Amino acid sequence: MQLSFVFSFLLLSASFTVGGIIPFGKPAVSQRADVGQKLVFSHFMIGVVSDRTSAAEYDDDMKRAKEYGIDAFALNIGTDNYTDTQLDFAYESAASNDMKVFISFDFNWWNSSSDATAVGQKVAQYANKDAQLKVGEKAFVSSFAGSGLDTATVRAAAGLDLYLIPNFNADQDLSGLDGAMNWIGWQNDGNNKAPSGGNTVTVADGDNAYLNALGEKPYMAPVSPWFFTHFGAEVEYSKNWVFPGDLLWYARWTDILRLAPDYVEIITWNDYGESHYVGPLASKHTDDGGSKWVNDMRVHLITRPHNGWLEMAKPFIAAYKAGETDVGPHIDSDQIVYWYRPTPASTDCDATDTTMEPADNSTGNYFMGRPNGWETLTDSVFIVPLLTAAGTVTVNSGGTVYNIDAPAGASSWSVPMGLGAQAFSLSRDGAEVISATSLKEIKDECVCGIYNFNSYVGTVPEGPSDPLGEDGLTALTTGLKTACEAAPSLPATPPATVAPTATGTATAGPTAA
Ligand SMILES: *[C@@H]1O[C@H](CO)[C@@H](O)[C@H](O)[C@H]1NC(C)=O
Ligand SMILES: *[C@@H]1O[C@H](CO)[C@@H](O)[C@H](O)[C@H]1NC(C)=O
Ligand SMILES: *[C@@H]1O[C@H](CO)[C@@H](O)[C@H](O)[C@H]1NC(C)=O
């Protein structure tokens, strides 16, 4: 409903190997997911990787996703002239990396009234490739939006068995589908914006609407970490809002373990412009203008080059696929994952922000200044310890120190954000186990002049930065009101911690989104 490029509805077919969970030693290319097998997908925007020139340029994404337990990418396609080239590369890379993929038709671009035949034909073009996800013998196909699509025509045009799990609205006719996907992974007002004026629709409300509408049919549930987009008049798709994020990523995964839906889709792998990417910044991609709030905003672990949010999700993915509710047994080393916005909400960027002028608002998505919904985010540092045994997690947020008695397994916490350096450590029996100071300070300052409500994510142990590549920075300066270099700018070494001046008490996080 609100993505900047493309979204999805599709089917997949062909063979399928789920990393490590298929018990029999059949050749990978002949394996298919079993009907009823729980699978995790991540939404992958083909529209942001039009600059890729080979299948090999997909290899890192495929390997990385698979390593975290993601079974397939939902390849979101519009109708651009590079689509087939990139789908060919993606299918080829997936096949050589023992990953699976399926097409997710984006009905911002495909027409649900008139494109049913074209959708079926596009499915047919790819569904017999080795990397196509199949459930049983049926090719998996999904979408973004697409309610009303004539599924009988799609199936006839495809000419093969489809497993159709598109993102139709729950109140539409779902009878022609094999299941349905819910896109709305964020608490909202029922009208695609953050809750306000007493209107609150929770993510669980969305789950219930779909589960009621689907009956026994499979449900694909959304999981998303964040949402912030901030496009001004410098582009044609001006839009500026947030959904409540904060500890959503943890709370929602906790929900998922209890709910145990048939399928889970992580929204997204690489939609940088809406800040809900969990894949790496370094993944080769173009710049829709989102680099203004994406540059420097994720880091990787040093020991294993992993993204913090994916790192947090890893034991949850494993537990979900095993039908378990306890992530503890899936945590094999101590880690702390943390995240926070780079500035407090009170920082005033009105004089230099890129959304202070009128812009096209035919979508109703454009707001001036701080993003619509900003009041629904708290000025906090969020902490998720993933521990092999109970320990004390110490957070120094700009000089205020918090000692957290963290249990074994996963837990979530927040502390008020303090300006300056952010330092984290774990100790047991008085001895430090791991520690790191974040490369990103919280500042009362408008980086590149703008309101940046994206989230920085770090891990302890700390790792090298995950820099945007050249192609991902091409539009950084477009429309900016202040001088700002289009280059990664995190320091190589962390800032000095702030000498402790006070202590505080951390708040335990929610366990339901
Ligand atoms: C693809 O479309 C773009 C934008 O419309 C155009 O500039 C480009 O020349 C087209 N490329 C091909 C190979 O047709
Ligand atoms: C979709 O196709 C229908 C039927 O051809 C047409 O009336 C409608 O205008 C199209 N929608 C868009 C957004 O192009
Ligand atoms: C854009 O449209 C929405 C929906 O009508 C409205 O709430 C918002 O105030 C508008 N934005 C601007 C800048 O006028």
Side-chain angles (χ1 to χ4, degrees):
M1 52 182 298
Q2 59 268 344
L3 296 207
S4 55
F5 279 81
V6 227
F7 269 62
S8 49
F9 150 82
L10 311 178
L11 44 135
L12 306 180
S13 70
S15 37
F16 174 67
T17 303
V18 183
I21 69 172
I22 296 199
F24 307 111
K26 295 187 227 162
V29 293
S30 69
Q31 291 176 348
R32 282 149 172 76
D34 295 329
V35 175
Q37 182 179 338
K38 295 206 185 298
L39 301 171
V40 176
F41 310 129
S42 188
H43 207 82
F44 187 105
M45 308 299 284
I46 291 292
V48 79
V49 296
S50 60
D51 57 339
R52 294 189 178 184
T53 56
S54 68
E57 291 186 337
Y58 283 83
D59 287 352
D60 180 71
D61 293 310
M62 298 291 168
K63 288 180 184 146
R64 190 181 295 269
K66 186 180 155 125
E67 190 182 346
Y68 283 93
I70 293 169
D71 299 298
F73 278 127
L75 301 173
N76 184 96
I77 62 165
T79 53
D80 309 273
N81 58 10
Y82 53 75
T83 300
D84 282 2
T85 302
Q86 296 302 331
L87 282 180
D88 288 344
F89 291 156
Y91 271 80
E92 184 186 335
S93 171
S96 55
N97 289 292
D98 202 15
M99 256 295 273
K100 293 297 156 192
V101 291
F102 57 92
I103 299 174
S104 181
F105 290 89
D106 189 329
F107 283 93
N108 274 336
W109 307 101
W110 295 81
N111 183 327
S112 59
S113 303
S114 58
D115 284 344
T117 298
V119 166
Q121 288 168 340
K122 186 60 68 184
V123 169
Q125 200 180 327
Y126 289 92
N128 287 317
K129 290 185 180 282
D130 286 348
Q132 170 68 45
L133 175 68
K134 284 188 170 173
V135 172
E137 296 299 316
K138 298 179 176 181
F140 203 103
V141 179
S142 190
S143 76
F144 170 71
S147 291
L149 180 72
D150 178 351
T151 55
T153 299
V154 173
R155 290 179 199 274
L160 69 162
D161 283 342
L162 305 185
Y163 201 66
L164 278 175
I165 314 272
N167 168 224
F168 283 21
N169 290 336
D171 61 1
Q172 300 296 303
D173 177 12
L174 307 181
S175 62
L177 310 182
D178 294 281
M181 179 205 181
N182 172 16
W183 187 261
I184 313 302
W186 312 272
Q187 199 172 95
N188 63 90
D189 67 349
N191 195 28
N192 201 27
K193 293 295 173 301
S196 69
N199 297 316
T200 299
V201 179
T202 66
V203 185
D205 290 338
D207 290 333
N208 291 333
Y210 275 89
L211 289 168
N212 289 335
L214 283 163
E216 296 297 305
K217 287 185 180 180
Y219 172 52
M220 192 196 295
V223 184
S224 189
W226 205 259
F227 188 106
F228 163 63
T229 189
H230 194 66
F231 292 103
E234 75 281 359
V235 297
E236 288 168 6
Y237 34 91
S238 309
K239 55 182 187 177
N240 180 23
W241 86 94
V242 301
F243 283 124
D246 290 3
L247 279 165
L248 172 65
W249 185 235
Y250 177 87
R252 181 59 177 161
W253 273 111
T254 305
D255 275 356
I256 290 290
L257 296 188
R258 283 194 295 245
L259 186 67
D262 303 277
Y263 304 110
V264 168
E265 188 158 306
I266 296 169
I267 299 172
T268 58
W269 185 258
N270 61 353
D271 192 332
Y272 304 99
E274 292 185 352
S275 309
H276 44 59
Y277 53 98
V278 301
L281 300 187
S283 182
K284 186 178 178 184
H285 66 276
T286 57
D287 185 6
D288 61 1
S291 59
K292 291 172 181 58
W293 54 92
V294 168
N295 190 26
D296 298 337
M297 297 294 270
R298 297 291 189 271
V299 300
H300 287 181
L301 271 172
I302 205 160
T303 45
R304 295 179 289 172
H306 289 171
N307 175 287
W309 272 339
L310 270 186
E311 200 63 36
M312 194 218 86
K314 193 175 186 187
F316 286 86
I317 291 172
Y320 161 74
K321 287 166 64 168
E324 299 165 4
T325 54
D326 182 7
V327 299
H330 300 282
I331 295 171
D332 53 16
S333 65
D334 292 315
Q335 294 179 51
I336 303 166
V337 180
Y338 60 84
W339 60 92
Y340 51 82
R341 303 194 324 271
T343 52
S346 59
T347 300
D348 187 346
C349 307
D350 279 2
T352 53
D353 186 62
T354 46
T355 66
M356 293 305 293
E357 290 151 22
D360 175 57
N361 193 24
S362 51
T363 57
N365 291 334
Y366 185 62
F367 298 83
M368 282 155 66
R370 288 185 184 83
N372 177 262
W374 66 270
E375 308 90 334
T376 64
L377 301 174
T378 61
D379 283 353
S380 302
V381 175
F382 304 100
I383 307 112
V384 175
L386 303 169
L387 303 185
T388 57
T392 301
V393 171
T394 301
V395 179
N396 176 344
S397 182
T400 303
V401 174
Y402 304 84
N403 287 309
I404 300 169
D405 286 330
S411 59
S412 74
W413 306 87
S414 64
V415 305
M417 61 167 66
L419 296 178
Q422 311 296 315
F424 306 85
S425 64
L426 167 69
S427 59
R428 286 195 190 98
D429 307 322
E432 188 174 284
V433 181
I434 49 174
S435 69
T437 299
S438 174
L439 295 178
K440 186 88 176 167
E441 292 180 272
I442 296 177
K443 293 182 175 172
D444 182 18
E445 192 177 286
C446 307
V447 177
C448 295
I450 68 165
Y451 285 112
N452 190 345
F453 282 69
N454 191 2
S455 188
Y456 180 83
V457 185
T459 54
V460 186
E462 180 68 278
S465 65
D466 165 32
L468 280 172
E470 215 177 302
D471 292 4
L473 288 158
T474 54
L476 187 139
T477 59
T478 310
L480 286 185
K481 307 275 170 51
T482 61
C484 193
E485 199 191 346
S489 66
L490 286 175
T493 54
T497 52
V498 183
T501 52
T503 58
T505 304
T507 304
T511 54

